[in-house]
Amino acid sequence: MPQDDYRDVAELVGAIGAPRFPSVLAAWIRSHVAFDMIAIVVYRGSRPPLHIHDDFKGERARNGLKQYLAQTYILNPFYQSHLKGIASGVYRVRDLAPDHYLQSEVYRSYEIIIAETEEIGYVTRDWPRGLEEIDIAVTLDDGETTEIGIYSARPGSFDDAAVERLNGLLPLIETSFRQHWQRIKARHTAKRHSIDAGWAEAAYESFGAELLTNREREVVVLVLRGHSSDSIAAHLDISRATVKTHRKHAYERLAISTQAELLSLFLRHVRDRMPAG
């Protein structure tokens, strides 16, 4: 290992537990794999994620991140994988998402969120768009998972060689972040509430319960999770045409006509049921 690498690793280890650690970690990862932005969050069971670090630039991008942390994380494939018990590793979005997720309406509408500051519920699209994403997962204790998301605006930035380099960095990323989290965890959990760990799944299951049939609700939940019509048909053992019929009827019962309206309605449902803390 070159002398500079030893020096960088020593700086990283020395920063564990200090406020500068996340930025030192980000710089160390960037020295091996180029990217434009990074965001580090910790998921604690089904609670909203804790923001640890980011270097997003501009008011719109930062507002998009803020809204994600407050609400739209519940739609994220990484979060869904965290709830199921994701292992530490380096993941592309397609590794975690349902089939054809990157072409799905949920993914294309992912930036759409309810703008609480708007009286009539207009939506905003502040999350930076057109980015390639790699997620580094670090499992922690007590059902907690760190997501280190790195983003590039340059197509093809995260090729197989980049993923291989990140996998080579993973042991030190895991060890250093776990040690850092142990030292800072108390300050983030001092006001921790006792929360039903299943509330997020319950939000999905209760969405539209008073208006939709069981089958319509099953279809809508799978749509919200990013499944294609073919995938929904396979999951429920029904035809693609039947999926479309159930979806059409569900939209009518919910008094909506678009994917954006479905997401907004669901996120309003989530917000109304989200536990504090």
Side-chain angles (χ1 to χ4, degrees), residues 26-42:
W28 182 68
I29 296 173
R30 186 179 268 120
S31 70
H32 292 83
V33 175
F35 57 85
D36 295 310
M37 299 188 304
I38 187 171
I40 304 175
V41 301
V42 171

mmCIF file with all atom_site columns, all heavy atoms in Angstrom, residues 26-42:
data_model
loop_
_atom_site.group_PDB
_atom_site.id
_atom_site.type_symbol
_atom_site.label_atom_id
_atom_site.label_alt_id
_atom_site.label_comp_id
_atom_site.label_asym_id
_atom_site.label_entity_id
_atom_site.label_seq_id
_atom_site.pdbx_PDB_ins_code
_atom_site.Cartn_x
_atom_site.Cartn_y
_atom_site.Cartn_z
_atom_site.occupancy
_atom_site.B_iso_or_equiv
_atom_site.pdbx_formal_charge
_atom_site.auth_seq_id
_atom_site.auth_comp_id
_atom_site.auth_asym_id
_atom_site.auth_atom_id
_atom_site.pdbx_PDB_model_num
ATOM 1   N N   . ALA A 1 26 ? -15.869 10.208 3.822   1.00 0.00 ? 26 ALA A N   1
ATOM 2   C CA  . ALA A 1 26 ? -16.304 10.533 2.461   1.00 0.00 ? 26 ALA A CA  1
ATOM 3   C C   . ALA A 1 26 ? -15.109 10.835 1.563   1.00 0.00 ? 26 ALA A C   1
ATOM 4   O O   . ALA A 1 26 ? -15.042 10.378 0.417   1.00 0.00 ? 26 ALA A O   1
ATOM 5   C CB  . ALA A 1 26 ? -17.261 11.724 2.496   1.00 0.00 ? 26 ALA A CB  1
ATOM 6   N N   . ALA A 1 27 ? -14.161 11.604 2.081   1.00 0.00 ? 27 ALA A N   1
ATOM 7   C CA  . ALA A 1 27 ? -12.978 11.952 1.294   1.00 0.00 ? 27 ALA A CA  1
ATOM 8   C C   . ALA A 1 27 ? -12.139 10.716 0.985   1.00 0.00 ? 27 ALA A C   1
ATOM 9   O O   . ALA A 1 27 ? -11.591 10.575 -0.125  1.00 0.00 ? 27 ALA A O   1
ATOM 10  C CB  . ALA A 1 27 ? -12.138 12.981 2.041   1.00 0.00 ? 27 ALA A CB  1
ATOM 11  N N   . TRP A 1 28 ? -12.043 9.799  1.941   1.00 0.00 ? 28 TRP A N   1
ATOM 12  C CA  . TRP A 1 28 ? -11.262 8.578  1.726   1.00 0.00 ? 28 TRP A CA  1
ATOM 13  C C   . TRP A 1 28 ? -11.901 7.695  0.655   1.00 0.00 ? 28 TRP A C   1
ATOM 14  O O   . TRP A 1 28 ? -11.227 7.176  -0.232  1.00 0.00 ? 28 TRP A O   1
ATOM 15  C CB  . TRP A 1 28 ? -11.132 7.812  3.039   1.00 0.00 ? 28 TRP A CB  1
ATOM 16  C CG  . TRP A 1 28 ? -10.308 6.567  2.917   1.00 0.00 ? 28 TRP A CG  1
ATOM 17  C CD1 . TRP A 1 28 ? -8.968  6.478  2.675   1.00 0.00 ? 28 TRP A CD1 1
ATOM 18  C CD2 . TRP A 1 28 ? -10.788 5.214  3.007   1.00 0.00 ? 28 TRP A CD2 1
ATOM 19  N NE1 . TRP A 1 28 ? -8.566  5.163  2.622   1.00 0.00 ? 28 TRP A NE1 1
ATOM 20  C CE2 . TRP A 1 28 ? -9.667  4.365  2.820   1.00 0.00 ? 28 TRP A CE2 1
ATOM 21  C CE3 . TRP A 1 28 ? -12.033 4.647  3.245   1.00 0.00 ? 28 TRP A CE3 1
ATOM 22  C CZ2 . TRP A 1 28 ? -9.767  2.984  2.851   1.00 0.00 ? 28 TRP A CZ2 1
ATOM 23  C CZ3 . TRP A 1 28 ? -12.142 3.267  3.274   1.00 0.00 ? 28 TRP A CZ3 1
ATOM 24  C CH2 . TRP A 1 28 ? -11.019 2.450  3.082   1.00 0.00 ? 28 TRP A CH2 1
ATOM 25  N N   . ILE A 1 29 ? -13.244 7.556  0.711   1.00 0.00 ? 29 ILE A N   1
ATOM 26  C CA  . ILE A 1 29 ? -13.936 6.780  -0.319  1.00 0.00 ? 29 ILE A CA  1
ATOM 27  C C   . ILE A 1 29 ? -13.763 7.451  -1.681  1.00 0.00 ? 29 ILE A C   1
ATOM 28  O O   . ILE A 1 29 ? -13.478 6.789  -2.692  1.00 0.00 ? 29 ILE A O   1
ATOM 29  C CB  . ILE A 1 29 ? -15.435 6.633  0.024   1.00 0.00 ? 29 ILE A CB  1
ATOM 30  C CG1 . ILE A 1 29 ? -15.616 5.836  1.323   1.00 0.00 ? 29 ILE A CG1 1
ATOM 31  C CG2 . ILE A 1 29 ? -16.178 5.939  -1.124  1.00 0.00 ? 29 ILE A CG2 1
ATOM 32  C CD1 . ILE A 1 29 ? -17.054 5.797  1.826   1.00 0.00 ? 29 ILE A CD1 1
ATOM 33  N N   . ARG A 1 30 ? -13.900 8.785  -1.711  1.00 0.00 ? 30 ARG A N   1
ATOM 34  C CA  . ARG A 1 30 ? -13.781 9.527  -2.977  1.00 0.00 ? 30 ARG A CA  1
ATOM 35  C C   . ARG A 1 30 ? -12.385 9.398  -3.581  1.00 0.00 ? 30 ARG A C   1
ATOM 36  O O   . ARG A 1 30 ? -12.224 9.479  -4.799  1.00 0.00 ? 30 ARG A O   1
ATOM 37  C CB  . ARG A 1 30 ? -14.158 10.984 -2.745  1.00 0.00 ? 30 ARG A CB  1
ATOM 38  C CG  . ARG A 1 30 ? -14.215 11.824 -4.013  1.00 0.00 ? 30 ARG A CG  1
ATOM 39  C CD  . ARG A 1 30 ? -14.625 13.256 -3.735  1.00 0.00 ? 30 ARG A CD  1
ATOM 40  N NE  . ARG A 1 30 ? -16.062 13.459 -3.848  1.00 0.00 ? 30 ARG A NE  1
ATOM 41  C CZ  . ARG A 1 30 ? -16.846 13.879 -2.880  1.00 0.00 ? 30 ARG A CZ  1
ATOM 42  N NH1 . ARG A 1 30 ? -16.357 14.126 -1.680  1.00 0.00 ? 30 ARG A NH1 1
ATOM 43  N NH2 . ARG A 1 30 ? -18.141 14.057 -3.100  1.00 0.00 ? 30 ARG A NH2 1
ATOM 44  N N   . SER A 1 31 ? -11.363 9.207  -2.741  1.00 0.00 ? 31 SER A N   1
ATOM 45  C CA  . SER A 1 31 ? -10.004 9.070  -3.268  1.00 0.00 ? 31 SER A CA  1
ATOM 46  C C   . SER A 1 31 ? -9.815  7.753  -4.021  1.00 0.00 ? 31 SER A C   1
ATOM 47  O O   . SER A 1 31 ? -8.836  7.597  -4.767  1.00 0.00 ? 31 SER A O   1
ATOM 48  C CB  . SER A 1 31 ? -8.979  9.168  -2.123  1.00 0.00 ? 31 SER A CB  1
ATOM 49  O OG  . SER A 1 31 ? -9.039  8.016  -1.283  1.00 0.00 ? 31 SER A OG  1
ATOM 50  N N   . HIS A 1 32 ? -10.771 6.823  -3.847  1.00 0.00 ? 32 HIS A N   1
ATOM 51  C CA  . HIS A 1 32 ? -10.681 5.538  -4.523  1.00 0.00 ? 32 HIS A CA  1
ATOM 52  C C   . HIS A 1 32 ? -11.720 5.383  -5.628  1.00 0.00 ? 32 HIS A C   1
ATOM 53  O O   . HIS A 1 32 ? -11.479 4.669  -6.609  1.00 0.00 ? 32 HIS A O   1
ATOM 54  C CB  . HIS A 1 32 ? -10.858 4.392  -3.518  1.00 0.00 ? 32 HIS A CB  1
ATOM 55  C CG  . HIS A 1 32 ? -9.720  4.274  -2.555  1.00 0.00 ? 32 HIS A CG  1
ATOM 56  N ND1 . HIS A 1 32 ? -9.628  5.039  -1.416  1.00 0.00 ? 32 HIS A ND1 1
ATOM 57  C CD2 . HIS A 1 32 ? -8.611  3.482  -2.569  1.00 0.00 ? 32 HIS A CD2 1
ATOM 58  C CE1 . HIS A 1 32 ? -8.515  4.719  -0.759  1.00 0.00 ? 32 HIS A CE1 1
ATOM 59  N NE2 . HIS A 1 32 ? -7.891  3.784  -1.438  1.00 0.00 ? 32 HIS A NE2 1
ATOM 60  N N   . VAL A 1 33 ? -12.881 6.031  -5.442  1.00 0.00 ? 33 VAL A N   1
ATOM 61  C CA  . VAL A 1 33 ? -13.949 5.972  -6.447  1.00 0.00 ? 33 VAL A CA  1
ATOM 62  C C   . VAL A 1 33 ? -14.539 7.372  -6.587  1.00 0.00 ? 33 VAL A C   1
ATOM 63  O O   . VAL A 1 33 ? -15.031 7.938  -5.611  1.00 0.00 ? 33 VAL A O   1
ATOM 64  C CB  . VAL A 1 33 ? -15.059 4.976  -6.036  1.00 0.00 ? 33 VAL A CB  1
ATOM 65  C CG1 . VAL A 1 33 ? -16.215 5.027  -7.017  1.00 0.00 ? 33 VAL A CG1 1
ATOM 66  C CG2 . VAL A 1 33 ? -14.506 3.565  -5.938  1.00 0.00 ? 33 VAL A CG2 1
ATOM 67  N N   . ALA A 1 34 ? -14.503 7.914  -7.792  1.00 0.00 ? 34 ALA A N   1
ATOM 68  C CA  . ALA A 1 34 ? -14.989 9.284  -8.010  1.00 0.00 ? 34 ALA A CA  1
ATOM 69  C C   . ALA A 1 34 ? -16.518 9.327  -7.936  1.00 0.00 ? 34 ALA A C   1
ATOM 70  O O   . ALA A 1 34 ? -17.204 8.450  -8.453  1.00 0.00 ? 34 ALA A O   1
ATOM 71  C CB  . ALA A 1 34 ? -14.525 9.786  -9.373  1.00 0.00 ? 34 ALA A CB  1
ATOM 72  N N   . PHE A 1 35 ? -17.032 10.354 -7.277  1.00 0.00 ? 35 PHE A N   1
ATOM 73  C CA  . PHE A 1 35 ? -18.473 10.591 -7.244  1.00 0.00 ? 35 PHE A CA  1
ATOM 74  C C   . PHE A 1 35 ? -18.708 12.063 -6.984  1.00 0.00 ? 35 PHE A C   1
ATOM 75  O O   . PHE A 1 35 ? -17.795 12.806 -6.605  1.00 0.00 ? 35 PHE A O   1
ATOM 76  C CB  . PHE A 1 35 ? -19.159 9.714  -6.185  1.00 0.00 ? 35 PHE A CB  1
ATOM 77  C CG  . PHE A 1 35 ? -18.636 9.889  -4.783  1.00 0.00 ? 35 PHE A CG  1
ATOM 78  C CD1 . PHE A 1 35 ? -19.109 10.893 -3.953  1.00 0.00 ? 35 PHE A CD1 1
ATOM 79  C CD2 . PHE A 1 35 ? -17.666 9.020  -4.276  1.00 0.00 ? 35 PHE A CD2 1
ATOM 80  C CE1 . PHE A 1 35 ? -18.634 11.042 -2.651  1.00 0.00 ? 35 PHE A CE1 1
ATOM 81  C CE2 . PHE A 1 35 ? -17.189 9.154  -2.987  1.00 0.00 ? 35 PHE A CE2 1
ATOM 82  C CZ  . PHE A 1 35 ? -17.664 10.170 -2.170  1.00 0.00 ? 35 PHE A CZ  1
ATOM 83  N N   . ASP A 1 36 ? -19.953 12.498 -7.183  1.00 0.00 ? 36 ASP A N   1
ATOM 84  C CA  . ASP A 1 36 ? -20.288 13.923 -7.060  1.00 0.00 ? 36 ASP A CA  1
ATOM 85  C C   . ASP A 1 36 ? -20.874 14.275 -5.705  1.00 0.00 ? 36 ASP A C   1
ATOM 86  O O   . ASP A 1 36 ? -20.646 15.377 -5.192  1.00 0.00 ? 36 ASP A O   1
ATOM 87  C CB  . ASP A 1 36 ? -21.280 14.319 -8.162  1.00 0.00 ? 36 ASP A CB  1
ATOM 88  C CG  . ASP A 1 36 ? -20.677 14.202 -9.543  1.00 0.00 ? 36 ASP A CG  1
ATOM 89  O OD1 . ASP A 1 36 ? -19.566 14.726 -9.746  1.00 0.00 ? 36 ASP A OD1 1
ATOM 90  O OD2 . ASP A 1 36 ? -21.300 13.569 -10.420 1.00 0.00 ? 36 ASP A OD2 1
ATOM 91  N N   . MET A 1 37 ? -21.665 13.371 -5.127  1.00 0.00 ? 37 MET A N   1
ATOM 92  C CA  . MET A 1 37 ? -22.327 13.670 -3.858  1.00 0.00 ? 37 MET A CA  1
ATOM 93  C C   . MET A 1 37 ? -22.376 12.414 -2.999  1.00 0.00 ? 37 MET A C   1
ATOM 94  O O   . MET A 1 37 ? -22.333 11.298 -3.517  1.00 0.00 ? 37 MET A O   1
ATOM 95  C CB  . MET A 1 37 ? -23.764 14.177 -4.083  1.00 0.00 ? 37 MET A CB  1
ATOM 96  C CG  . MET A 1 37 ? -23.861 15.455 -4.892  1.00 0.00 ? 37 MET A CG  1
ATOM 97  S SD  . MET A 1 37 ? -25.549 16.115 -4.905  1.00 0.00 ? 37 MET A SD  1
ATOM 98  C CE  . MET A 1 37 ? -26.472 14.731 -5.545  1.00 0.00 ? 37 MET A CE  1
ATOM 99  N N   . ILE A 1 38 ? -22.504 12.640 -1.706  1.00 0.00 ? 38 ILE A N   1
ATOM 100 C CA  . ILE A 1 38 ? -22.627 11.527 -0.765  1.00 0.00 ? 38 ILE A CA  1
ATOM 101 C C   . ILE A 1 38 ? -23.623 11.897 0.316   1.00 0.00 ? 38 ILE A C   1
ATOM 102 O O   . ILE A 1 38 ? -23.749 13.074 0.692   1.00 0.00 ? 38 ILE A O   1
ATOM 103 C CB  . ILE A 1 38 ? -21.254 11.176 -0.133  1.00 0.00 ? 38 ILE A CB  1
ATOM 104 C CG1 . ILE A 1 38 ? -21.347 9.907  0.704   1.00 0.00 ? 38 ILE A CG1 1
ATOM 105 C CG2 . ILE A 1 38 ? -20.718 12.344 0.696   1.00 0.00 ? 38 ILE A CG2 1
ATOM 106 C CD1 . ILE A 1 38 ? -19.980 9.382  1.164   1.00 0.00 ? 38 ILE A CD1 1
ATOM 107 N N   . ALA A 1 39 ? -24.351 10.920 0.797   1.00 0.00 ? 39 ALA A N   1
ATOM 108 C CA  . ALA A 1 39 ? -25.245 11.111 1.938   1.00 0.00 ? 39 ALA A CA  1
ATOM 109 C C   . ALA A 1 39 ? -25.126 9.880  2.830   1.00 0.00 ? 39 ALA A C   1
ATOM 110 O O   . ALA A 1 39 ? -25.133 8.750  2.331   1.00 0.00 ? 39 ALA A O   1
ATOM 111 C CB  . ALA A 1 39 ? -26.693 11.299 1.486   1.00 0.00 ? 39 ALA A CB  1
ATOM 112 N N   . ILE A 1 40 ? -24.991 10.109 4.119   1.00 0.00 ? 40 ILE A N   1
ATOM 113 C CA  . ILE A 1 40 ? -24.875 9.010  5.084   1.00 0.00 ? 40 ILE A CA  1
ATOM 114 C C   . ILE A 1 40 ? -26.012 9.133  6.084   1.00 0.00 ? 40 ILE A C   1
ATOM 115 O O   . ILE A 1 40 ? -26.183 10.178 6.727   1.00 0.00 ? 40 ILE A O   1
ATOM 116 C CB  . ILE A 1 40 ? -23.522 9.049  5.829   1.00 0.00 ? 40 ILE A CB  1
ATOM 117 C CG1 . ILE A 1 40 ? -22.354 9.032  4.836   1.00 0.00 ? 40 ILE A CG1 1
ATOM 118 C CG2 . ILE A 1 40 ? -23.414 7.881  6.808   1.00 0.00 ? 40 ILE A CG2 1
ATOM 119 C CD1 . ILE A 1 40 ? -20.983 9.200  5.489   1.00 0.00 ? 40 ILE A CD1 1
ATOM 120 N N   . VAL A 1 41 ? -26.807 8.068  6.202   1.00 0.00 ? 41 VAL A N   1
ATOM 121 C CA  . VAL A 1 41 ? -27.911 8.061  7.160   1.00 0.00 ? 41 VAL A CA  1
ATOM 122 C C   . VAL A 1 41 ? -27.893 6.741  7.910   1.00 0.00 ? 41 VAL A C   1
ATOM 123 O O   . VAL A 1 41 ? -27.308 5.753  7.455   1.00 0.00 ? 41 VAL A O   1
ATOM 124 C CB  . VAL A 1 41 ? -29.281 8.259  6.479   1.00 0.00 ? 41 VAL A CB  1
ATOM 125 C CG1 . VAL A 1 41 ? -29.330 9.573  5.724   1.00 0.00 ? 41 VAL A CG1 1
ATOM 126 C CG2 . VAL A 1 41 ? -29.605 7.097  5.544   1.00 0.00 ? 41 VAL A CG2 1
ATOM 127 N N   . VAL A 1 42 ? -28.548 6.725  9.058   1.00 0.00 ? 42 VAL A N   1
ATOM 128 C CA  . VAL A 1 42 ? -28.704 5.498  9.839   1.00 0.00 ? 42 VAL A CA  1
ATOM 129 C C   . VAL A 1 42 ? -30.188 5.233  10.010  1.00 0.00 ? 42 VAL A C   1
ATOM 130 O O   . VAL A 1 42 ? -30.942 6.102  10.455  1.00 0.00 ? 42 VAL A O   1
ATOM 131 C CB  . VAL A 1 42 ? -28.023 5.615  11.221  1.00 0.00 ? 42 VAL A CB  1
ATOM 132 C CG1 . VAL A 1 42 ? -28.394 4.420  12.101  1.00 0.00 ? 42 VAL A CG1 1
ATOM 133 C CG2 . VAL A 1 42 ? -26.502 5.695  11.072  1.00 0.00 ? 42 VAL A CG2 1
#
